[in-house]
Each structure stands twice: as C-alpha cells, then as structure tokens.
Amino acid sequence: MEQIVHSFVKEHQLISPHQTVLAAVSGGPDSMALLHFLCSIKNSWNLKIIGLSVDHGLRGQESQDDLEFVKNQCEEWGIEFAGASVDVHSHKREAGTGTQESARYLRYQFFERMMEERQADVLAMGHHGDDQAETMMMQLVRSARPESLQGMPVQRPFGRGKLVRPFLSLSKSQIADYNAWHHVRVRIDPSNEETNYTRNAFRKHVMPFLKEQNPKFHSHMQAMSQRMREDQAYIREQAGEVLDTMYFSSNMKKIVQFSLSTFKTFPLALQRSAFHLILNYLYVNQTEDISYLHEEMFMNLLYDHKPNAKLDFPQGLQAVRAYDEVTLSFDRSDEEYKYEYFLNAGETVVLPDGAHLYADWGTPQEKEGDSVFTCDAHHVKLPFIVRTRRNGDRMRVRGMNGSKKVKDIFIDQKIPSNLRKTWPLVTDSSGEILWLVGLKKSGGSTDGSSGTWLRLHYENKAET
C-alpha cells in the first residue's frame, strides 16, 4: 500500500518535503491509517505533522472518548495534537441546516483556523477510493449533468494552503490490511452502520454489489473523476469566450444580458457550460437547487419559436427572452419599477437609469427627431408628468385615426418586456399621453402653427 500512496502523492504533488501537514483524524480506520502513513514519512521528508480531531457532541461520552483516543495516539507517536468540541445542535437551530451539514461546517471551520494558527501548508484527509466511488454514484443519482459527476478533488485550495486526499488511490480493504499489518488501533463509530444517512445506505447496499462485479471499481471511478475534471476545466475555459459576448451588471442588482443570435453561434456544449457559469455568477456559486431539468427548460426557452417567453428559477431568478435579447435577473415586483415625476418648462428630471428629460420653450420650426418632442402650449396643461406605463394606457398616435394601446405599441416596436416596465412616457396634467419617448408621439397637441410652443428633450447619458 505504501508504494501506491507514494506514487499517488508524487504524481499529484500533494505533499513536499519540509512542509507542515495537518491530518484530520476521527479515530476511525481510514484516518488512523493516514496518520500512521504520515508518521512513517515524517523524518525522511522532514515534515511537521499535527493531528486534528473534532468532537461533534453527537454521541455523548463515546465521541469524547474518540477525541481522547486520537490525542493519546498522537502523544504515543510523538505528534502534535489539536482538538476541539463543537455544538452541532446549536448550529442546526441557528443556521437551519441538517446534522451532517452543520457538523461538516463546524469541522472545516476548525480545520481552517488551525491552518492559520499553525501556519500549515497542507490539510490531509483520509478519504479513499471507495469513498470516491460512493460520492460519484450519489452524484449520478442526484444529477444528470456531466459537470456534477466529478467526485472529490484530489486537492483543492484551503485556508492558506491546500486540502489533499492521498488515499483516493486505495480501496477500503487495502486500508484495513495496512492497519492489520502495522497493528494500528482504531475506533469504530457505530453510526456508520445506520442507513438513515444517504452515504451509509450507498455504502451498505450499493457498493458491495458494484465491487462484486468489479473489484477495481474504485480505481475506475477515480480515473473517471480525474478525466471529468480535466475535460470540464477545458470546456469552462472555452466557455469564457461565450461570456465575453455578454453583459454582466457591476452593481448590486445582478443582471446578465446577451444576444440570442450570438449565443447560438457557439457549440451546444459551450452554451450549456456558459449557462452554468452564469448561474454561478448570479447565485454566487450556491447552485444546489439547480438540476438538469432547469438547464433543459432554459435551452427550450432559447430555441422556442415564440419571440417572447419567461422562465422562473429558484430564489426568484427569471430568464426573459424578448426577441433577440435574453435577460437573467432576480425578479422584482412591478412596484419597484414604477416612477412618476412632475416637469415644468425650464426644469429637468433624472430617470432611474440616469437618462435626462428636460422641458423648455421652443418654436414651431423646431425639428423633432426621436429625442425631441414639441407641442403647442395652448393644447396642453402643465405640468408635464413623466411616468411609467399603467394598465389600460392608450394614446392618440400622430398620423393615425383613433387611439392605440401603449402595450400594443411596445409589441409592434419589439421592445423587450423587461424594458417596458421602466420605459418613460410623458402626459400633460390632465393625463393625456403626449409622447411615448423615442417611439410614438401624439398628434392632438400639435395643431396650429402660432402661439407659444414647448419642447421636450430626452438624453440618455449611456448613449452619449
């Protein structure tokens, strides 16, 4: 066994001479074998080994005895020791998490603190190849996404150094043989036999059958894990080109927008990977509630023939397709989008997006254009009102008979639905809509060519 681990450690450069290595030790067979192995190379590699153990307070005196057992074994082997007792039950109540999740959080919190206090380079864990196989089978059951089927990494950044798993190349039986050969004493946690935890159920009912079919199953799964990580790392790197074509907001209101036609020019594999990178940005890497079904629904949204569609994700995230534009943002109530300002001649209002709208006196000969609206002052009642649309809004459009719904104008002009909520329109004080800014103007207030005229000018600072 020692040669297998030596080769694995050197292949992945997990530990180097002259380092300080923390060993996470529960007192069970795997962690005690790890501690013994590190002791065996301590002098030849000039390592400083420190054993760490945590009492989670879940099994009363028995778990306290486990902590004391590890402490005594470290003293016997001439190794430094640091232990801690944590209150899992209190953390469960405060954080609203499960027992295993709370225990893991507190355990790793202690490990990270020890990394800093002891100025350690490495935290070594005793996870082995059978643990890896269990993890990957559990991931396969929970998700159909290839990027989810990667198992535990051989190493990853942790605290001021890195976390490593030197035993992923070994089976549980190889570790048992090692302990028997070297007379390593261990403690057995009886809760490992309970099947109310998912991992224990896989360990007791699923893994024996798979190992019976292929005794090297753990080695195959570890090789698969490494290959999946390498493949996915390459795909994520390539997917960065997709993200370069997108807009990511830089403020607290996280928004991602992109062109659908541009997005579709990339291979499907990169589209899928980019989707999950977007979610990592929006959810700040907390994407446990996202499944392959959400991915499938998102891709259907993009390839649907409907020009407008909306998709709801967990925690209020929405994906909105409006013609060629796709927007992902966290849903807000319509009330948050509404605004209303009064505007008199000689005044300026600043809209929520930073655009300016100001009013002054003009002449009948004033050229309008998309950003300028002029009207006969005798046909409007001041002040102007600048606001967002309301249900049932209608306006008399210049050059048309009768009136038209503002909603239908937006549709005809192919304005994305998320922009319609904040699009400015101008009325006079009687409520008559004079200008749907940049789109349509009313003809009712421009009759006659004499008298006093008013001019409205819209300026979007983002476009100048």
Side-chain angles (χ1 to χ4, degrees):
M1 187 197 93
E2 291 93 327
Q3 187 56 48
I4 296 174
V5 179
H6 272 291
S7 299
F8 192 77
V9 168
K10 290 181 178 179
E11 177 187 356
H12 297 282
Q13 299 180 331
L14 303 185
I15 301 172
S16 301
H18 311 290
Q19 288 187 322
T20 296
V21 180
L22 306 183
V25 187
S26 66
D30 312 328
S31 61
M32 289 305 297
L34 173 68
L35 186 62
H36 186 276
F37 171 79
L38 292 173
C39 286
S40 71
I41 65 171
K42 181 180 69 168
N43 293 332
S44 59
W45 287 47
N46 195 22
L47 300 175
K48 181 179 181 180
I49 308 297
I50 303 173
L52 304 181
S53 192
V54 178
D55 168 18
H56 299 98
L58 298 175
R59 293 183 291 114
Q61 184 61 45
E62 193 171 20
S63 59
Q64 294 179 27
D65 291 344
D66 289 345
L67 181 70
E68 193 66 24
F69 169 78
V70 175
K71 177 182 178 182
N72 293 336
Q73 193 62 71
C74 286
E75 291 176 355
E76 182 180 326
W77 290 345
I79 298 171
E80 288 187 39
F81 171 81
S85 295
V86 297
D87 190 346
V88 174
H89 294 299
S90 293
H91 185 270
K92 281 178 60 178
R93 289 192 298 270
E94 295 170 3
T97 53
T99 301
Q100 294 299 303
E101 186 178 353
S102 294
R104 185 184 189 281
Y105 173 83
L106 295 173
R107 182 168 65 250
Y108 277 80
Q109 187 180 59
F110 170 67
F111 292 160
E112 189 166 1
R113 187 170 74 249
M114 289 298 101
M115 286 283 288
E116 188 63 36
E117 286 185 11
R118 303 305 177 97
Q119 292 293 288
D121 305 290
V122 175
L123 170 66
M125 309 293 288
H127 299 119
H128 50 72
D130 287 1
D131 290 331
Q132 181 73 294
E134 292 166 6
T135 298
M136 295 180 71
M137 294 305 297
M138 291 165 62
Q139 290 172 339
L140 180 61
V141 169
R142 291 171 178 167
S143 176
R145 292 167 43 207
E147 55 268 33
S148 297
L149 187 62
Q150 297 184 30
M152 297 177 286
V154 174
Q155 60 179 304
R156 65 175 175 86
F158 184 78
R160 64 184 301 277
K162 62 182 179 179
L163 182 154
V164 303
R165 296 182 169 95
F167 280 7
L168 286 184
S169 56
L170 301 176
S171 68
K172 188 175 184 68
S173 62
Q174 287 175 305
I175 292 175
D177 291 342
Y178 176 89
N179 286 336
W181 178 261
H182 292 283
H183 306 289
V184 177
R185 290 179 295 153
V186 302
R187 296 272 295 181
I188 301 299
D189 181 353
S191 66
N192 288 337
E193 297 300 315
E194 300 173 5
T195 57
N196 54 325
Y197 296 128
T198 303
R199 180 176 291 278
N200 290 354
F202 268 80
R203 180 174 299 155
K204 190 170 184 178
H205 301 300
V206 178
M207 293 306 297
F209 171 76
L210 296 175
K211 295 285 283 187
E212 181 182 329
Q213 299 302 306
N214 181 1
K216 291 289 185 181
F217 182 69
H218 68 282
S219 298
H220 289 197
M221 295 302 284
Q222 176 56 31
M224 182 179 178
S225 172
Q226 290 180 220
R227 179 166 181 174
M228 290 292 292
R229 287 186 175 279
E230 292 166 359
D231 290 351
Q232 289 301 315
Y234 175 75
I235 292 175
R236 283 195 300 271
E237 181 181 348
Q238 296 302 306
E241 298 181 12
V242 186
L243 301 188
D244 289 341
T245 68
M246 300 178 175
Y247 164 76
F248 289 79
S249 64
S250 56
N251 52 31
M252 293 297 291
K253 301 281 188 184
K254 288 193 169 184
I255 298 174
V256 178
Q257 290 179 320
F258 61 88
S259 163
L260 180 57
S261 57
T262 301
F263 187 78
K264 287 182 177 180
T265 63
F266 293 95
L268 192 57
L270 297 188
Q271 293 180 26
R272 291 195 178 107
S273 184
F275 166 65
H276 290 288
L277 291 175
I278 291 171
L279 294 186
N280 286 340
Y281 164 76
L282 293 171
Y283 284 117
V284 196
N285 293 319
Q286 302 298 314
T287 58
E288 292 86 355
D289 294 333
I290 300 296
S291 72
Y292 78 96
L293 293 176
H294 292 102
E295 176 190 289
E296 186 176 322
M297 293 164 64
F298 180 73
M299 300 308 291
N300 288 339
L301 173 79
L302 301 187
Y303 284 87
D304 198 316
H305 294 299
K306 296 179 182 178
N308 292 281
K310 183 174 72 173
L311 179 63
D312 292 311
F313 288 98
Q315 302 176 35
L317 180 66
Q318 285 190 339
V320 179
R321 174 185 169 184
Y323 303 100
D324 187 57
E325 183 178 85
V326 178
T327 303
L328 290 98
S329 62
F330 287 94
D331 185 36
R332 295 187 291 164
S333 67
D334 287 345
E335 291 298 321
E336 293 184 73
Y337 292 97
K338 292 180 180 179
Y339 57 80
E340 182 175 312
Y341 306 100
F342 294 100
L343 178 64
N344 280 297
E347 296 178 347
T348 300
V349 297
V350 180
L351 302 182
D353 64 354
H356 289 64
L357 190 66
Y358 60 88
D360 58 6
W361 302 105
T363 65
Q365 292 77 30
E366 181 79 37
K367 290 185 178 180
E368 289 189 321
D370 292 337
S371 299
V372 177
F373 171 80
T374 59
C375 62
D376 183 350
H378 295 296
H379 289 81
V380 298
K381 296 180 180 180
L382 293 178
F384 293 115
I385 299 173
V386 184
R387 63 172 174 83
T388 49
R389 68 167 177 146
R390 298 169 183 165
N391 291 334
D393 273 341
R394 303 183 71 95
M395 70 177 293
R396 291 183 293 162
V397 179
R398 189 178 300 179
M400 290 181 56
N401 293 324
S403 63
K404 188 169 185 175
K405 289 182 178 180
V406 169
K407 175 182 177 181
D408 292 337
I409 296 174
F410 280 137
I411 293 174
D412 293 343
Q413 297 293 314
K414 297 185 177 181
I415 302 301
S417 58
N418 64 302
L419 297 182
R420 300 174 195 174
K421 297 177 181 180
T422 57
W423 201 279
L425 59 81
V426 181
T427 78
D428 68 359
S429 60
S430 69
E432 181 181 356
I433 298 177
L434 307 175
W435 188 21
L436 187 54
V437 177
L439 298 179
K440 294 295 180 180
K441 300 169 182 177
S442 170
S445 58
T446 59
D447 297 333
S449 58
S450 61
T452 306
W453 283 66
L454 288 164
R455 180 182 68 169
L456 293 168
H457 185 90
Y458 173 79
E459 183 177 316
N460 188 343
K461 295 293 185 181
E463 296 175 356
T464 59

